[in-house]
Short mmCIF file of all heavy atoms in Angstrom, two decimals:
data_model
loop_
_atom_site.label_atom_id
_atom_site.label_comp_id
_atom_site.label_asym_id
_atom_site.label_seq_id
_atom_site.Cartn_x
_atom_site.Cartn_y
_atom_site.Cartn_z
N GLU E 1 0.84 -1.18 0.00
CA GLU E 1 0.00 0.00 0.00
C GLU E 1 0.89 1.24 0.00
O GLU E 1 1.83 1.36 0.76
CB GLU E 1 -0.89 0.00 1.25
CG GLU E 1 -1.77 1.20 1.32
CD GLU E 1 -2.65 1.17 2.57
OE1 GLU E 1 -2.97 0.08 3.06
OE2 GLU E 1 -2.98 2.26 3.02
N ARG E 2 0.57 2.15 -0.88
CA ARG E 2 1.33 3.39 -1.00
C ARG E 2 0.67 4.49 -0.17
O ARG E 2 -0.52 4.75 -0.29
CB ARG E 2 1.39 3.81 -2.45
CG ARG E 2 2.24 5.01 -2.68
CD ARG E 2 2.34 5.31 -4.14
NE ARG E 2 3.21 6.46 -4.32
CZ ARG E 2 3.37 7.09 -5.44
NH1 ARG E 2 2.75 6.67 -6.52
NH2 ARG E 2 4.17 8.11 -5.52
N LEU E 3 1.47 5.16 0.66
CA LEU E 3 0.97 6.26 1.47
C LEU E 3 1.34 7.58 0.80
O LEU E 3 2.41 7.73 0.24
CB LEU E 3 1.57 6.21 2.87
CG LEU E 3 1.23 4.98 3.70
CD1 LEU E 3 1.96 5.03 5.03
CD2 LEU E 3 -0.27 4.89 3.91
N VAL E 4 0.44 8.52 0.89
CA VAL E 4 0.66 9.84 0.30
C VAL E 4 0.47 10.89 1.37
O VAL E 4 -0.49 10.85 2.14
CB VAL E 4 -0.33 10.09 -0.87
CG1 VAL E 4 -0.15 11.49 -1.41
CG2 VAL E 4 -0.14 9.06 -1.96
N GLN E 5 1.40 11.83 1.42
CA GLN E 5 1.28 12.96 2.34
C GLN E 5 1.33 14.22 1.51
O GLN E 5 2.26 14.44 0.74
CB GLN E 5 2.43 12.96 3.35
CG GLN E 5 2.36 14.14 4.30
CD GLN E 5 3.47 14.09 5.34
OE1 GLN E 5 4.06 13.05 5.60
NE2 GLN E 5 3.74 15.22 5.94
N ARG E 6 0.34 15.07 1.66
CA ARG E 6 0.30 16.34 0.93
C ARG E 6 0.45 17.49 1.91
O ARG E 6 -0.16 17.48 2.99
CB ARG E 6 -0.99 16.49 0.15
CG ARG E 6 -1.06 15.57 -1.04
CD ARG E 6 -2.22 15.91 -1.89
NE ARG E 6 -3.43 15.35 -1.27
CZ ARG E 6 -4.60 15.36 -1.83
NH1 ARG E 6 -4.78 15.92 -2.99
NH2 ARG E 6 -5.64 14.81 -1.22
N GLU E 7 1.24 18.46 1.53
CA GLU E 7 1.45 19.67 2.32
C GLU E 7 1.29 20.86 1.38
O GLU E 7 1.56 20.76 0.19
CB GLU E 7 2.85 19.69 2.92
CG GLU E 7 3.18 18.52 3.82
CD GLU E 7 2.48 18.57 5.16
OE1 GLU E 7 2.11 19.68 5.60
OE2 GLU E 7 2.31 17.51 5.77
N ALA E 8 0.87 21.97 1.93
CA ALA E 8 0.77 23.19 1.14
C ALA E 8 1.64 24.27 1.76
O ALA E 8 1.61 24.49 2.98
CB ALA E 8 -0.68 23.67 1.08
N MET E 9 2.44 24.90 0.91
CA MET E 9 3.34 25.96 1.37
C MET E 9 3.33 27.08 0.33
O MET E 9 3.29 26.82 -0.87
CB MET E 9 4.76 25.42 1.51
CG MET E 9 5.77 26.48 1.90
SD MET E 9 7.46 25.88 1.92
CE MET E 9 7.44 24.92 3.41
N GLU E 10 3.36 28.30 0.83
CA GLU E 10 3.46 29.46 -0.06
C GLU E 10 4.66 30.29 0.40
O GLU E 10 4.90 30.44 1.60
CB GLU E 10 2.18 30.31 0.01
CG GLU E 10 2.24 31.58 -0.77
CD GLU E 10 2.46 31.39 -2.26
OE1 GLU E 10 2.15 30.31 -2.80
OE2 GLU E 10 2.94 32.34 -2.90
N LEU E 11 5.41 30.78 -0.55
CA LEU E 11 6.57 31.62 -0.29
C LEU E 11 6.31 33.01 -0.85
O LEU E 11 5.94 33.16 -2.02
CB LEU E 11 7.81 31.02 -0.96
CG LEU E 11 9.05 31.90 -0.99
CD1 LEU E 11 9.60 32.07 0.41
CD2 LEU E 11 10.09 31.30 -1.91
N LYS E 12 6.49 34.01 0.00
CA LYS E 12 6.34 35.40 -0.42
C LYS E 12 7.63 36.15 -0.09
O LYS E 12 8.30 35.85 0.91
CB LYS E 12 5.17 36.09 0.31
CG LYS E 12 3.82 35.59 -0.09
CD LYS E 12 3.53 36.00 -1.50
CE LYS E 12 2.13 35.63 -1.91
NZ LYS E 12 1.93 35.78 -3.34
N VAL E 13 7.97 37.13 -0.91
CA VAL E 13 9.14 37.98 -0.68
C VAL E 13 8.65 39.39 -0.41
O VAL E 13 7.89 39.95 -1.19
CB VAL E 13 10.09 37.95 -1.90
CG1 VAL E 13 11.27 38.88 -1.66
CG2 VAL E 13 10.55 36.54 -2.19
N TRP E 14 9.07 39.93 0.73
CA TRP E 14 8.71 41.30 1.10
C TRP E 14 9.80 42.21 0.56
O TRP E 14 10.92 42.23 1.06
CB TRP E 14 8.60 41.41 2.61
CG TRP E 14 8.01 42.69 3.11
CD1 TRP E 14 7.70 43.81 2.40
CD2 TRP E 14 7.68 42.99 4.47
NE1 TRP E 14 7.19 44.77 3.21
CE2 TRP E 14 7.17 44.31 4.49
CE3 TRP E 14 7.78 42.28 5.65
CZ2 TRP E 14 6.76 44.91 5.66
CZ3 TRP E 14 7.37 42.88 6.82
CH2 TRP E 14 6.85 44.19 6.82
N ARG E 15 9.49 42.96 -0.47
CA ARG E 15 10.46 43.82 -1.14
C ARG E 15 10.30 45.28 -0.70
O ARG E 15 9.24 45.68 -0.23
CB ARG E 15 10.30 43.72 -2.65
CG ARG E 15 10.52 42.31 -3.17
CD ARG E 15 10.53 42.26 -4.69
NE ARG E 15 10.44 40.91 -5.21
CZ ARG E 15 11.42 40.02 -5.21
NH1 ARG E 15 12.59 40.33 -4.72
NH2 ARG E 15 11.23 38.82 -5.72
N ALA E 16 11.36 46.03 -0.89
CA ALA E 16 11.36 47.45 -0.53
C ALA E 16 10.22 48.18 -1.23
O ALA E 16 9.93 47.93 -2.40
CB ALA E 16 12.70 48.08 -0.90
N GLY E 17 9.55 49.06 -0.50
CA GLY E 17 8.48 49.86 -1.06
C GLY E 17 7.15 49.14 -1.17
O GLY E 17 6.18 49.70 -1.65
N LYS E 18 7.09 47.90 -0.74
CA LYS E 18 5.85 47.11 -0.81
C LYS E 18 5.31 46.88 0.59
O LYS E 18 6.03 46.97 1.58
CB LYS E 18 6.12 45.75 -1.47
CG LYS E 18 6.68 45.83 -2.87
CD LYS E 18 5.64 46.36 -3.82
CE LYS E 18 6.19 46.38 -5.24
NZ LYS E 18 5.24 46.86 -6.20
N ASP E 19 4.03 46.54 0.66
CA ASP E 19 3.39 46.21 1.94
C ASP E 19 3.76 44.78 2.35
O ASP E 19 4.12 43.95 1.52
CB ASP E 19 1.87 46.31 1.82
CG ASP E 19 1.40 47.75 1.63
OD1 ASP E 19 2.10 48.67 2.09
OD2 ASP E 19 0.35 47.95 1.00
N ASP E 20 3.61 44.52 3.64
CA ASP E 20 3.81 43.17 4.17
C ASP E 20 2.92 42.20 3.40
O ASP E 20 1.70 42.40 3.33
CB ASP E 20 3.46 43.16 5.65
CG ASP E 20 3.72 41.84 6.35
OD1 ASP E 20 3.91 40.81 5.67
OD2 ASP E 20 3.73 41.84 7.59
N PRO E 21 3.48 41.14 2.81
CA PRO E 21 2.68 40.22 1.98
C PRO E 21 1.87 39.19 2.78
O PRO E 21 1.32 38.26 2.19
CB PRO E 21 3.74 39.54 1.12
CG PRO E 21 4.96 39.55 1.95
CD PRO E 21 4.90 40.83 2.74
N LEU E 22 1.76 39.34 4.08
CA LEU E 22 1.05 38.37 4.90
C LEU E 22 -0.39 38.14 4.44
O LEU E 22 -0.80 37.01 4.20
CB LEU E 22 1.06 38.80 6.38
CG LEU E 22 0.29 37.88 7.33
CD1 LEU E 22 0.95 36.52 7.43
CD2 LEU E 22 0.17 38.52 8.70
N THR E 23 -1.16 39.20 4.28
CA THR E 23 -2.57 39.07 3.91
C THR E 23 -2.73 38.39 2.56
O THR E 23 -3.54 37.48 2.40
CB THR E 23 -3.25 40.46 3.89
OG1 THR E 23 -3.10 41.04 5.18
CG2 THR E 23 -4.72 40.34 3.56
N GLU E 24 -1.93 38.81 1.58
CA GLU E 24 -1.98 38.20 0.26
C GLU E 24 -1.58 36.73 0.31
O GLU E 24 -2.20 35.87 -0.31
CB GLU E 24 -1.04 38.95 -0.69
CG GLU E 24 -1.00 38.38 -2.09
CD GLU E 24 0.05 39.07 -2.96
OE1 GLU E 24 0.62 40.10 -2.55
OE2 GLU E 24 0.29 38.55 -4.06
N GLY E 25 -0.54 36.43 1.07
CA GLY E 25 -0.08 35.05 1.19
C GLY E 25 -1.10 34.13 1.85
O GLY E 25 -1.29 32.99 1.43
N LEU E 26 -1.77 34.64 2.88
CA LEU E 26 -2.80 33.84 3.55
C LEU E 26 -3.96 33.53 2.61
O LEU E 26 -4.47 32.41 2.58
CB LEU E 26 -3.31 34.55 4.80
CG LEU E 26 -2.33 34.63 5.97
CD1 LEU E 26 -2.89 35.54 7.06
CD2 LEU E 26 -2.01 33.25 6.51
N ALA E 27 -4.37 34.52 1.83
CA ALA E 27 -5.47 34.30 0.89
C ALA E 27 -5.07 33.30 -0.20
O ALA E 27 -5.85 32.42 -0.56
CB ALA E 27 -5.89 35.63 0.26
N GLN E 28 -3.85 33.44 -0.71
CA GLN E 28 -3.38 32.52 -1.76
C GLN E 28 -3.26 31.10 -1.21
O GLN E 28 -3.70 30.14 -1.85
CB GLN E 28 -2.04 33.00 -2.29
CG GLN E 28 -1.60 32.30 -3.54
CD GLN E 28 -0.39 32.99 -4.16
OE1 GLN E 28 0.16 33.94 -3.62
NE2 GLN E 28 0.02 32.50 -5.30
N LEU E 29 -2.70 30.95 -0.04
CA LEU E 29 -2.56 29.64 0.58
C LEU E 29 -3.92 29.03 0.88
O LEU E 29 -4.11 27.82 0.75
CB LEU E 29 -1.71 29.76 1.85
CG LEU E 29 -1.29 28.48 2.54
CD1 LEU E 29 -0.59 27.52 1.59
CD2 LEU E 29 -0.38 28.81 3.72
N ASP E 30 -4.88 29.85 1.26
CA ASP E 30 -6.24 29.37 1.51
C ASP E 30 -6.81 28.67 0.27
O ASP E 30 -7.45 27.63 0.37
CB ASP E 30 -7.12 30.56 1.91
CG ASP E 30 -8.25 30.17 2.83
OD1 ASP E 30 -8.24 29.04 3.38
OD2 ASP E 30 -9.14 31.00 3.03
N GLY E 31 -6.55 29.24 -0.90
CA GLY E 31 -7.01 28.62 -2.14
C GLY E 31 -6.35 27.28 -2.38
O GLY E 31 -7.00 26.32 -2.80
N TYR E 32 -5.05 27.18 -2.11
CA TYR E 32 -4.35 25.90 -2.27
C TYR E 32 -4.94 24.85 -1.34
O TYR E 32 -5.18 23.71 -1.72
CB TYR E 32 -2.86 26.03 -1.95
CG TYR E 32 -2.08 26.99 -2.79
CD1 TYR E 32 -0.89 27.54 -2.31
CD2 TYR E 32 -2.48 27.37 -4.06
CE1 TYR E 32 -0.14 28.42 -3.06
CE2 TYR E 32 -1.74 28.25 -4.82
CZ TYR E 32 -0.57 28.77 -4.32
OH TYR E 32 0.17 29.65 -5.06
N LEU E 33 -5.15 25.25 -0.08
CA LEU E 33 -5.68 24.32 0.91
C LEU E 33 -7.06 23.83 0.51
O LEU E 33 -7.38 22.65 0.69
CB LEU E 33 -5.71 24.98 2.29
CG LEU E 33 -4.34 25.34 2.87
CD1 LEU E 33 -4.52 26.19 4.12
CD2 LEU E 33 -3.52 24.11 3.15
N ASP E 34 -7.86 24.72 -0.03
CA ASP E 34 -9.20 24.35 -0.47
C ASP E 34 -9.13 23.30 -1.58
O ASP E 34 -9.82 22.28 -1.53
CB ASP E 34 -9.95 25.59 -0.93
CG ASP E 34 -11.43 25.34 -1.11
OD1 ASP E 34 -12.03 24.68 -0.23
OD2 ASP E 34 -11.98 25.81 -2.11
N ARG E 35 -8.29 23.55 -2.58
CA ARG E 35 -8.16 22.61 -3.70
C ARG E 35 -7.60 21.26 -3.29
O ARG E 35 -7.92 20.23 -3.87
CB ARG E 35 -7.29 23.21 -4.80
CG ARG E 35 -8.01 24.30 -5.58
CD ARG E 35 -7.26 24.70 -6.83
NE ARG E 35 -5.96 25.28 -6.59
CZ ARG E 35 -5.71 26.56 -6.31
NH1 ARG E 35 -6.71 27.41 -6.20
NH2 ARG E 35 -4.49 26.99 -6.13
N LEU E 36 -6.72 21.27 -2.27
CA LEU E 36 -6.09 20.03 -1.82
C LEU E 36 -6.84 19.36 -0.67
O LEU E 36 -6.42 18.32 -0.18
CB LEU E 36 -4.65 20.32 -1.38
CG LEU E 36 -3.70 20.77 -2.48
CD1 LEU E 36 -2.39 21.29 -1.87
CD2 LEU E 36 -3.44 19.64 -3.45
N SER E 37 -7.92 19.98 -0.21
CA SER E 37 -8.70 19.48 0.94
C SER E 37 -7.83 19.32 2.19
O SER E 37 -7.91 18.33 2.90
CB SER E 37 -9.38 18.15 0.60
OG SER E 37 -10.28 18.32 -0.47
N LEU E 38 -7.00 20.33 2.44
CA LEU E 38 -6.14 20.34 3.61
C LEU E 38 -6.64 21.39 4.60
O LEU E 38 -7.30 22.35 4.23
CB LEU E 38 -4.69 20.66 3.22
CG LEU E 38 -4.01 19.64 2.31
CD1 LEU E 38 -2.64 20.16 1.87
CD2 LEU E 38 -3.85 18.31 3.03
N THR E 39 -6.30 21.21 5.87
CA THR E 39 -6.76 22.13 6.90
C THR E 39 -5.68 23.08 7.40
O THR E 39 -5.99 24.08 8.05
CB THR E 39 -7.33 21.36 8.10
OG1 THR E 39 -6.31 20.50 8.61
CG2 THR E 39 -8.54 20.55 7.70
N THR E 40 -4.41 22.77 7.13
CA THR E 40 -3.31 23.61 7.59
C THR E 40 -2.27 23.75 6.49
O THR E 40 -2.22 22.95 5.56
CB THR E 40 -2.63 23.03 8.84
OG1 THR E 40 -2.05 21.77 8.51
CG2 THR E 40 -3.59 22.88 9.99
N GLY E 41 -1.42 24.77 6.65
CA GLY E 41 -0.35 24.99 5.69
C GLY E 41 0.73 25.86 6.31
O GLY E 41 0.67 26.23 7.48
N VAL E 42 1.72 26.20 5.48
CA VAL E 42 2.85 27.01 5.92
C VAL E 42 3.05 28.18 4.96
O VAL E 42 3.04 27.99 3.75
CB VAL E 42 4.15 26.17 5.98
CG1 VAL E 42 5.34 27.03 6.37
CG2 VAL E 42 3.99 24.99 6.93
N LEU E 43 3.23 29.36 5.52
CA LEU E 43 3.54 30.56 4.75
C LEU E 43 4.91 31.05 5.18
O LEU E 43 5.15 31.29 6.37
CB LEU E 43 2.49 31.65 5.00
CG LEU E 43 2.74 33.01 4.36
CD1 LEU E 43 2.81 32.91 2.84
CD2 LEU E 43 1.65 33.99 4.78
N VAL E 44 5.83 31.17 4.22
CA VAL E 44 7.18 31.67 4.48
C VAL E 44 7.29 33.06 3.86
O VAL E 44 6.97 33.23 2.68
CB VAL E 44 8.25 30.73 3.88
CG1 VAL E 44 9.65 31.27 4.17
CG2 VAL E 44 8.10 29.32 4.43
N ILE E 45 7.72 34.02 4.65
CA ILE E 45 7.89 35.39 4.16
C ILE E 45 9.36 35.78 4.34
O ILE E 45 9.85 35.88 5.47
CB ILE E 45 6.98 36.38 4.92
CG1 ILE E 45 5.51 36.01 4.71
CG2 ILE E 45 7.25 37.81 4.44
CD1 ILE E 45 4.54 36.85 5.50
N PHE E 46 10.05 35.97 3.20
CA PHE E 46 11.43 36.45 3.23
C PHE E 46 11.42 37.97 3.15
O PHE E 46 10.90 38.54 2.20
CB PHE E 46 12.23 35.89 2.04
CG PHE E 46 12.65 34.48 2.23
CD1 PHE E 46 12.04 33.47 1.53
CD2 PHE E 46 13.68 34.14 3.12
CE1 PHE E 46 12.43 32.14 1.70
CE2 PHE E 46 14.06 32.83 3.29
CZ PHE E 46 13.43 31.83 2.58
N ASP E 47 12.00 38.61 4.14
CA ASP E 47 12.05 40.07 4.19
C ASP E 47 13.34 40.54 3.51
O ASP E 47 14.43 40.41 4.07
CB ASP E 47 12.00 40.54 5.64
CG ASP E 47 11.70 42.02 5.76
OD1 ASP E 47 11.90 42.75 4.77
OD2 ASP E 47 11.27 42.44 6.85
N ARG E 48 13.23 41.05 2.29
CA ARG E 48 14.38 41.48 1.51
C ARG E 48 14.57 43.00 1.54
O ARG E 48 15.39 43.53 0.80
CB ARG E 48 14.22 41.01 0.06
CG ARG E 48 14.11 39.50 -0.09
CD ARG E 48 15.38 38.80 0.25
NE ARG E 48 16.39 39.22 -0.70
CZ ARG E 48 17.68 39.21 -0.50
NH1 ARG E 48 18.16 38.75 0.63
NH2 ARG E 48 18.53 39.62 -1.41
N ARG E 49 13.83 43.70 2.39
CA ARG E 49 13.95 45.15 2.47
C ARG E 49 15.28 45.52 3.14
O ARG E 49 15.75 44.83 4.03
CB ARG E 49 12.80 45.74 3.30
CG ARG E 49 11.42 45.42 2.75
CD ARG E 49 10.34 45.83 3.72
NE ARG E 49 10.55 45.17 5.00
CZ ARG E 49 10.26 45.71 6.18
NH1 ARG E 49 9.72 46.91 6.26
NH2 ARG E 49 10.48 45.06 7.30
N SER E 50 15.87 46.60 2.69
CA SER E 50 17.14 47.05 3.28
C SER E 50 16.97 47.44 4.74
O SER E 50 17.90 47.34 5.53
CB SER E 50 17.73 48.21 2.47
OG SER E 50 16.83 49.30 2.46
N GLU E 51 15.77 47.90 5.11
CA GLU E 51 15.53 48.30 6.50
C GLU E 51 15.07 47.15 7.40
O GLU E 51 14.77 47.35 8.57
CB GLU E 51 14.49 49.44 6.57
CG GLU E 51 13.09 49.03 6.14
CD GLU E 51 12.81 49.19 4.65
OE1 GLU E 51 13.74 49.31 3.85
OE2 GLU E 51 11.63 49.21 4.30
N ALA E 52 15.05 45.94 6.86
CA ALA E 52 14.63 44.78 7.66
C ALA E 52 15.61 44.57 8.81
O ALA E 52 16.82 44.75 8.64
CB ALA E 52 14.58 43.54 6.79
N PRO E 53 15.10 44.19 9.97
CA PRO E 53 16.00 43.91 11.10
C PRO E 53 16.89 42.71 10.79
O PRO E 53 16.57 41.91 9.90
CB PRO E 53 15.05 43.59 12.25
CG PRO E 53 13.67 43.82 11.77
CD PRO E 53 13.70 44.02 10.30
N PRO E 54 17.97 42.54 11.52
CA PRO E 54 18.83 41.36 11.33
C PRO E 54 18.05 40.07 11.58
O PRO E 54 17.04 40.07 12.28
CB PRO E 54 19.93 41.54 12.40
CG PRO E 54 19.84 42.94 12.86
CD PRO E 54 18.47 43.43 12.57
N TRP E 55 18.53 38.98 11.00
CA TRP E 55 17.86 37.69 11.09
C TRP E 55 17.52 37.32 12.52
O TRP E 55 16.41 36.86 12.81
CB TRP E 55 18.72 36.60 10.46
CG TRP E 55 18.29 35.24 10.86
CD1 TRP E 55 18.91 34.40 11.74
CD2 TRP E 55 17.11 34.54 10.45
NE1 TRP E 55 18.19 33.25 11.89
CE2 TRP E 55 17.08 33.31 11.11
CE3 TRP E 55 16.06 34.86 9.59
CZ2 TRP E 55 16.07 32.39 10.94
CZ3 TRP E 55 15.05 33.92 9.43
CH2 TRP E 55 15.06 32.71 10.10
N ASN E 56 18.45 37.49 13.45
CA ASN E 56 18.19 37.05 14.83
C ASN E 56 17.09 37.86 15.50
O ASN E 56 16.60 37.48 16.56
CB ASN E 56 19.47 37.08 15.66
CG ASN E 56 20.06 38.46 15.80
OD1 ASN E 56 19.63 39.40 15.13
ND2 ASN E 56 21.05 38.60 16.65
N GLN E 57 16.67 38.97 14.90
CA GLN E 57 15.56 39.75 15.44
C GLN E 57 14.26 39.52 14.68
O GLN E 57 13.19 39.82 15.18
CB GLN E 57 15.91 41.23 15.41
CG GLN E 57 17.04 41.59 16.33
CD GLN E 57 17.44 43.04 16.19
OE1 GLN E 57 16.73 43.86 15.63
NE2 GLN E 57 18.62 43.38 16.71
N ARG E 58 14.34 39.03 13.44
CA ARG E 58 13.11 38.88 12.65
C ARG E 58 12.73 37.43 12.40
O ARG E 58 11.60 37.14 12.09
CB ARG E 58 13.24 39.62 11.33
CG ARG E 58 14.13 38.95 10.31
CD ARG E 58 14.06 39.69 8.98
NE ARG E 58 14.80 38.98 7.98
CZ ARG E 58 16.01 39.30 7.55
NH1 ARG E 58 16.61 40.35 8.03
NH2 ARG E 58 16.60 38.59 6.63
N GLY E 59 13.68 36.52 12.51
CA GLY E 59 13.38 35.11 12.24
C GLY E 59 12.51 34.52 13.34
O GLY E 59 12.94 34.39 14.47
N ALA E 60 11.27 34.21 13.00
CA ALA E 60 10.36 33.70 14.01
C ALA E 60 9.21 32.93 13.37
O ALA E 60 8.84 33.19 12.23
CB ALA E 60 9.79 34.85 14.83
N PHE E 61 8.69 31.99 14.13
CA PHE E 61 7.48 31.28 13.74
C PHE E 61 6.30 31.94 14.44
O PHE E 61 6.43 32.40 15.58
CB PHE E 61 7.54 29.81 14.16
CG PHE E 61 8.47 28.98 13.33
CD1 PHE E 61 9.76 28.72 13.77
CD2 PHE E 61 8.06 28.45 12.12
CE1 PHE E 61 10.62 27.96 13.00
CE2 PHE E 61 8.91 27.68 11.35
CZ PHE E 61 10.20 27.44 11.80
N ASP E 62 5.17 31.95 13.76
CA ASP E 62 3.96 32.53 14.34
C ASP E 62 2.78 31.76 13.76
O ASP E 62 2.93 30.99 12.82
CB ASP E 62 3.87 34.01 13.96
CG ASP E 62 2.96 34.78 14.90
OD1 ASP E 62 2.42 34.19 15.85
OD2 ASP E 62 2.79 35.99 14.67
N LEU E 63 1.62 31.97 14.33
CA LEU E 63 0.39 31.37 13.80
C LEU E 63 -0.48 32.47 13.23
O LEU E 63 -0.51 33.58 13.75
CB LEU E 63 -0.36 30.62 14.89
CG LEU E 63 0.32 29.37 15.45
CD1 LEU E 63 -0.52 28.78 16.58
CD2 LEU E 63 0.53 28.34 14.36
N ALA E 64 -1.19 32.15 12.16
CA ALA E 64 -2.12 33.09 11.54
C ALA E 64 -3.33 32.30 11.07
O ALA E 64 -3.30 31.07 11.00
CB ALA E 64 -1.46 33.82 10.38
N THR E 65 -4.38 33.00 10.73
CA THR E 65 -5.61 32.37 10.26
C THR E 65 -5.94 32.90 8.87
O THR E 65 -5.88 34.10 8.63
CB THR E 65 -6.76 32.68 11.23
OG1 THR E 65 -6.38 32.27 12.55
CG2 THR E 65 -8.03 31.95 10.84
N THR E 66 -6.28 31.99 7.96
CA THR E 66 -6.65 32.37 6.60
C THR E 66 -8.05 33.00 6.62
O THR E 66 -8.77 32.90 7.61
CB THR E 66 -6.68 31.16 5.66
OG1 THR E 66 -7.73 30.29 6.06
CG2 THR E 66 -5.35 30.42 5.66
N PRO E 67 -8.45 33.62 5.51
CA PRO E 67 -9.79 34.20 5.44
C PRO E 67 -10.92 33.21 5.74
O PRO E 67 -11.96 33.60 6.26
CB PRO E 67 -9.87 34.72 4.00
CG PRO E 67 -8.46 35.03 3.63
CD PRO E 67 -7.65 33.96 4.32
N SER E 68 -10.69 31.93 5.44
CA SER E 68 -11.75 30.94 5.71
C SER E 68 -11.60 30.26 7.06
O SER E 68 -12.36 29.35 7.39
CB SER E 68 -11.79 29.89 4.60
OG SER E 68 -10.65 29.06 4.68
N GLY E 69 -10.60 30.69 7.86
CA GLY E 69 -10.47 30.17 9.22
C GLY E 69 -9.48 29.05 9.43
O GLY E 69 -9.44 28.46 10.50
N ARG E 70 -8.65 28.74 8.45
CA ARG E 70 -7.65 27.67 8.61
C ARG E 70 -6.42 28.21 9.37
O ARG E 70 -6.03 29.35 9.18
CB ARG E 70 -7.21 27.16 7.25
CG ARG E 70 -8.31 26.43 6.49
CD ARG E 70 -7.77 26.03 5.11
NE ARG E 70 -8.71 25.19 4.38
CZ ARG E 70 -9.52 25.65 3.44
NH1 ARG E 70 -9.53 26.93 3.11
NH2 ARG E 70 -10.33 24.83 2.81
N GLN E 71 -5.83 27.34 10.19
CA GLN E 71 -4.63 27.71 10.94
C GLN E 71 -3.39 27.54 10.06
O GLN E 71 -3.21 26.50 9.43
CB GLN E 71 -4.49 26.84 12.18
CG GLN E 71 -5.42 27.22 13.30
CD GLN E 71 -5.12 28.59 13.85
OE1 GLN E 71 -5.94 29.47 13.76
NE2 GLN E 71 -3.96 28.76 14.42
N ILE E 72 -2.54 28.56 10.03
CA ILE E 72 -1.35 28.58 9.21
C ILE E 72 -0.13 28.87 10.09
O ILE E 72 -0.19 29.74 10.96
CB ILE E 72 -1.45 29.68 8.13
CG1 ILE E 72 -2.67 29.47 7.23
CG2 ILE E 72 -0.17 29.78 7.30
CD1 ILE E 72 -2.67 28.17 6.47
N THR E 73 0.95 28.15 9.84
CA THR E 73 2.23 28.46 10.47
C THR E 73 2.94 29.45 9.56
O THR E 73 3.09 29.21 8.36
CB THR E 73 3.09 27.20 10.63
OG1 THR E 73 2.39 26.26 11.45
CG2 THR E 73 4.43 27.53 11.27
N VAL E 74 3.37 30.58 10.14
CA VAL E 74 4.05 31.62 9.37
C VAL E 74 5.51 31.68 9.85
O VAL E 74 5.76 31.80 11.04
CB VAL E 74 3.39 33.00 9.58
CG1 VAL E 74 4.15 34.08 8.81
CG2 VAL E 74 1.93 32.96 9.16
N LEU E 75 6.42 31.56 8.90
CA LEU E 75 7.85 31.72 9.18
C LEU E 75 8.31 33.00 8.54
O LEU E 75 8.19 33.16 7.32
CB LEU E 75 8.66 30.54 8.64
CG LEU E 75 10.19 30.73 8.63
CD1 LEU E 75 10.71 30.99 10.03
CD2 LEU E 75 10.86 29.55 7.99
N ARG E 76 8.79 33.92 9.35
CA ARG E 76 9.37 35.16 8.81
C ARG E 76 10.87 35.02 8.84
O ARG E 76 11.47 34.69 9.87
CB ARG E 76 8.92 36.36 9.64
CG ARG E 76 7.44 36.64 9.44
CD ARG E 76 7.06 37.95 10.10
NE ARG E 76 5.66 38.25 9.88
CZ ARG E 76 5.21 38.98 8.87
NH1 ARG E 76 6.06 39.49 7.98
NH2 ARG E 76 3.93 39.24 8.74
N ALA E 77 11.47 35.25 7.68
CA ALA E 77 12.92 35.07 7.56
C ALA E 77 13.55 36.26 6.91
O ALA E 77 12.93 36.98 6.18
CB ALA E 77 13.20 33.82 6.74
#
């Protein structure tokens, strides 16, 4: 018997002069989760702005909720 594990992950890059992509990423990931019939996922946000704090101050895991109420793990890097 073959076992299958599906995961959904979205990667966003926060660039200079742009807004935090968290809201957009959560909505996009929500669509993936819906199509895959999954309840959770991971959103990774790379902060590429020159004014971004150093990694040891910004690298963190957090929880967020998609527009439809799914729990998402958010990694800010």
